[in-house]
Amino acid sequence: MTTDRVLSGVGVAPGITIGPAQVIQWEIPTVTRTVVAPQEVDREIERLREALRAVQRMLEDLRERTRQRAGAEESKIFDAQILMLEDPEFVWEVERLIRENQLSAERAFEFKTLELRALWSQSSSFQLRQRVADLSGILLRVLNHLVDKPIHPALAAPDAPPAIVFTRELTPGLTVQLERENVAGLASVEGARTAHAAILARSLGIPCVMGVIDGLERVRDGMQVLLDGTHGFVLLEPTEAEIAEAADSEQRRHQLQDRLEEVDGLPAETRDGQSVTLRGNVDLPEELDETQQHRAEGVGLLRTEFLVLGRKTMPTEDEQVRLFEHVARRFRGYPVVVRTYDLGGDKFPAAFQTAPEPNPFLGWRAIRVCLDNPELFRVQLRAALRARVSGDVRLLLPMIIQVEELDHTRELIAESARTLQQEGITAAASLPIGVMIETPAAAVIVDQIAARSDFLSVGTNDLTQYTLAIDRGNARLAGRFNPRHPAVLQLLRRIAEAAQQANIEASVCGEMASDPLSAFLLLGLGYRVLSLSPPALPLVRWLVRQIDMNAAAAAAERALVASTSAEVETTLKEGLAAFVDIELLEAGRLPRVVGAARLRSFQSGTL
Ligand code: PEP
Ligand code: MG
């Protein structure tokens, strides 16, 4: 497949579809009529009220359509917007602007909404920051109504073939208004798996790809495109052969889906009776539902960066306690591994005023930032100790390169526990501390680290990046970024052995664990706990149930002596082919989301 015709993104609703592209541009209109004469004030207030009523009816209608087409739960997406329009305080404030400042209805509404948007987007409450998108939605609808613009441009004629819609931002409102018969697929520049519109697209069964960065520039109306919502790309002007290949792959995906459903709810146990623990990686609170639905046995990696990204202030101790307790309650009886802030590199929050660094991935990040800012670190450590009272909360330290960092963190934890006790605040006296093995330095001295840790967790995304000296987010190098490189394999073996020696748990939480062929390798290397990206849980569960652990170990042994990544891959495929149809497996493989795409998912979560 020639890469210059491929636009990559993040697959958020599975399925492959082909059709003519249709670009929908919808933007918040510019308000030109800003003030009114004093005698027009009453009429202006009436215009506002009428617009609010009309938009409310429109939203209620959308909610009903969503209920019919996608279900009652999905239809609640519109509740927040309807409630906002009914909020007497909000409406009164807008009317006051018209009355006292003689603003036009559209100007007053815009002013108040933008003011709230600025306030909410800097709020310490995650829920409030999430509602910013709802606010933008009603701003668009009410302004369009007041300036008399249609809310969405009409789609192609009813007898035209179903289109693949391209837009900047895919809102739930737009998604549900698109009739299934007219729409074959959806692609947007912004958004991520957890966006409301993505959830809706999945429920409606419309394949969807988000994060297609240059989609609007490269696509023209009517251009034939192939959209793959499973693997997350759009192919412009596909050839006959590419269409046939996509059709085959889609058929296999359906077959695989049926098999995955058969093992839903069954334990992750190999044919020879060895059990494997599957946990979930949670980047954003919305992912908890999917993680739970797929029966993860705990959260193996709770990334805490979303708490700070896009905010001007750092989260408080209470706020973090609430989050950790919430997750612990949802996974009662299972571990919840909270990773301390992995700031820096691609994740620097506005709350942190730092000068740009020439080499951010080799710069001031993760544990380095935390240890240099004990006042910031203590807040998180205290929160984890307090939350430990409600469940099996554990702490995981990112980017460790030497044991002093671990020792220093332990001292801070002990000190935090003492002060909490002195202050009379209920908290645990200590908690399990794990180290992320994600730098070659940590992998090389893993024996010493293991001797001082309660558990290890391998971050294969960074471990691969630093071992191979390949930027994990660089699209040009994506083909070379291979965690199955022989050098990475040697380190993985070493880490597994060190954990066994020290008699502590070693899990893998990098994206590698979510890839079935790599999961087979990791099991063969001796890892028994994998923490996965939530959508990968069914596939890896199914895989575990197909294989024999001895065969996995034998394949891993052979892979360890391979001299190239290609040889590693062939060896593993040969080993796995005894149990599963490799082509079938490939059809269900999820796109690799490390680096930039995952960051976009953070950003959209904190809009
Ligand atoms: C990793 O590096 O493999 C990892 C799990 O952490 P992150 O992707 O957040 O850097
Ligand atoms: Mg990492």
Side-chain angles (χ1 to χ4, degrees):
M1 207 188 278
T2 46
T3 49
D4 58 341
R5 288 185 290 117
V6 179
L7 309 179
S8 57
V10 182
V12 301
I16 294 176
T17 176
I18 299 154
Q22 177 160 12
V23 179
I24 295 189
Q25 305 268 17
W26 65 315
E27 267 144 25
I28 294 180
T30 319
V31 172
T32 48
R33 187 172 164 271
T34 54
V35 283
V36 294
Q39 66 275 19
E40 288 178 72
V41 160
D42 285 342
R43 215 189 62 205
E44 212 51 27
I45 289 181
E46 197 33 55
R47 270 186 76 228
L48 171 78
R49 291 181 182 166
E50 194 279 318
L52 297 183
R53 279 193 299 271
V55 172
Q56 188 169 349
R57 278 194 303 273
M58 195 189 297
L59 288 169
E60 281 164 356
D61 176 46
L62 280 179
R63 181 168 62 183
E64 181 52 24
R65 284 169 72 174
T66 311
R67 196 186 61 73
Q68 287 168 10
R69 295 180 60 192
E73 202 45 46
E74 280 77 2
S75 73
K76 290 193 187 137
I77 289 170
F78 295 96
D79 285 357
Q81 293 191 0
I82 294 172
L83 281 175
M84 258 180 237
L85 290 176
E86 285 172 345
D87 179 355
E89 201 182 327
F90 173 67
V91 177
W92 187 85
E93 284 285 338
V94 180
E95 290 188 4
R96 193 174 61 84
L97 283 172
I98 301 176
R99 201 170 283 117
E100 293 179 9
N101 300 58
Q102 285 152 37
L103 297 185
S104 67
E106 47 268 46
R107 183 79 187 104
F109 190 81
E110 180 190 51
F111 185 88
K112 192 68 216 159
T113 316
L114 292 180
E115 188 184 67
L116 270 186
R117 190 160 82 171
L119 203 69
W120 289 4
S121 45
Q122 287 163 26
S123 156
S124 61
S125 151
F126 183 69
Q127 275 77 9
L128 215 48
R129 279 183 283 138
Q130 287 262 296
R131 288 182 57 193
V132 169
D134 290 321
L135 209 51
S136 305
I138 61 167
L139 177 65
L140 181 94
R141 283 175 200 285
V142 173
L143 287 193
N144 271 319
H145 188 87
L146 284 165
V147 303
D148 211 16
K149 261 184 70 178
I151 191 83
H152 295 312
L155 271 181
D159 52 351
I164 297 190
V165 172
F166 283 77
T167 179
R168 177 156 300 284
E169 193 187 357
L170 203 49
T171 62
L174 177 59
T175 312
V176 75
Q177 278 176 68
L178 301 171
E179 295 297 338
R180 187 74 183 85
E181 309 79 68
N182 296 336
V183 181
L186 296 164
S188 69
V189 177
E190 322 235 318
R193 270 197 73 76
T194 50
H196 280 149
I199 297 168
L200 256 185
R202 282 200 286 280
S203 307
L204 296 171
I206 307 178
C208 177
V209 180
M210 290 183 162
V212 185
I213 298 295
D214 44 2
L216 296 184
E217 287 80 53
R218 299 280 309 277
V219 172
R220 278 173 286 103
D221 271 349
M223 179 190 256
Q224 202 67 11
V225 298
L226 182 154
L227 177 143
D228 185 334
T230 310
H231 301 98
F233 68 85
V234 174
L235 177 62
L236 308 180
E237 296 174 324
T239 63
E240 288 297 320
E242 285 164 342
I243 293 175
E245 193 188 319
D248 272 0
S249 155
E250 183 62 352
Q251 200 191 359
R252 284 195 295 275
R253 189 180 68 82
H254 283 295
Q255 276 173 18
L256 182 66
Q257 203 52 42
D258 292 342
R259 309 253 178 104
L260 300 193
E261 277 161 25
E262 285 164 18
V263 304
D264 183 33
L266 297 178
E269 202 177 276
T270 58
R271 287 153 63 124
D272 49 341
Q274 305 247 16
S275 64
V276 175
T277 303
L278 300 181
R279 297 185 189 140
N281 291 349
V282 173
D283 295 6
L284 295 169
E286 299 96 307
E287 289 170 331
L288 288 169
D289 283 347
E290 194 174 4
T291 314
Q292 231 172 356
Q293 271 158 24
H294 293 324
R295 297 166 209 274
E297 296 174 75
V299 175
L301 175 67
L302 180 67
R303 291 184 167 105
T304 54
E305 293 74 45
F306 81 89
L307 279 167
V308 286
L309 285 169
R311 274 178 60 166
K312 290 238 167 71
T313 55
M314 293 302 278
T316 62
E317 181 179 314
D318 285 349
E319 198 182 332
Q320 296 188 63
V321 174
R322 276 197 299 277
L323 171 77
F324 304 159
E325 281 183 347
H326 172 68
V327 183
R329 268 196 296 274
R330 294 199 51 172
F331 286 91
R332 211 178 278 286
Y334 293 117
V336 170
V337 180
V338 174
R339 179 176 70 185
T340 60
Y341 292 136
D342 189 7
L343 304 174
D346 57 354
K347 304 170 271 200
F348 244 121
F352 244 88
Q353 304 288 334
T354 45
E357 296 184 341
N359 255 320
F361 282 98
L362 302 179
W364 194 54
R365 54 171 299 199
I367 194 76
R368 304 167 191 175
V369 173
C370 289
L371 289 174
D372 288 353
N373 282 281
E375 62 295 345
L376 168 147
F377 202 14
R378 269 192 211 103
V379 176
Q380 192 160 55
L381 300 177
R382 282 169 59 103
L385 284 165
R386 285 174 58 191
R388 169 110 186 136
V389 177
S390 317
D392 187 1
V393 174
R394 307 177 184 180
L395 268 188
L396 180 61
L397 312 178
M399 286 294 289
I400 292 286
I401 57 161
Q402 49 192 343
V403 290
E404 290 93 318
E405 292 158 337
L406 174 58
D407 294 345
H408 194 161
T409 306
R410 279 200 187 276
E411 282 162 24
L412 285 176
I413 292 173
E415 179 205 293
S416 300
R418 273 196 305 277
T419 39
L420 280 165
Q421 199 194 12
Q422 281 156 10
E423 291 164 19
I425 298 174
T426 313
S430 67
L431 80 179
I433 312 291
V435 168
M436 275 193 93
I437 306 294
E438 55 178 349
T439 63
V444 171
I445 58 160
V446 67
D447 290 338
Q448 294 163 39
I449 293 177
R452 292 161 191 245
S453 313
D454 299 307
F455 63 96
L456 304 179
S457 189
V458 193
T460 50
N461 308 336
D462 278 319
L463 186 61
T464 307
Q465 154 164 276
Y466 295 120
T467 305
L468 305 186
I470 288 186
D471 177 353
R472 59 193 262 187
N474 187 331
R476 180 176 291 176
L477 298 174
R480 288 189 170 96
F481 181 91
N482 190 346
R484 296 189 292 250
H485 185 287
V488 181
L489 258 59
Q490 297 299 328
L491 297 180
L492 287 169
R493 145 64 55 98
R494 189 185 177 90
I495 301 162
E497 283 179 352
Q500 268 155 20
Q501 282 281 319
N503 201 18
I504 57 172
E505 174 188 294
S507 60
V508 178
C509 64
E511 284 292 316
M512 186 179 185
S514 300
D515 173 272
L517 193 62
S518 296
F520 179 63
L521 165 71
L522 294 168
L523 296 171
L525 288 172
Y527 293 94
R528 293 291 175 269
V529 184
L530 303 179
S531 191
L532 313 177
S533 145
L537 282 157
L539 182 58
V540 176
R541 179 183 305 279
W542 176 79
L543 174 95
V544 170
R545 293 185 59 83
Q546 310 308 307
I547 61 165
D548 185 300
M549 203 62 101
N550 287 326
E557 280 306 322
R558 289 195 298 277
L560 277 165
V561 293
S563 43
T564 64
S565 310
E567 230 180 278
V568 170
E569 183 147 340
T570 316
T571 310
L572 293 173
K573 281 187 176 162
E574 278 167 9
L576 192 52
F579 305 101
V580 296
D581 172 353
I582 302 286
E583 281 203 346
L584 190 68
L585 203 60
E586 293 285 322
R589 179 187 279 185
L590 293 158
R592 191 163 53 81
V593 186
V594 285
R598 194 163 61 69
L599 177 67
R600 282 203 297 279
S601 109
F602 276 131
Q603 284 165 340
S604 88
T606 52
L607 250 175

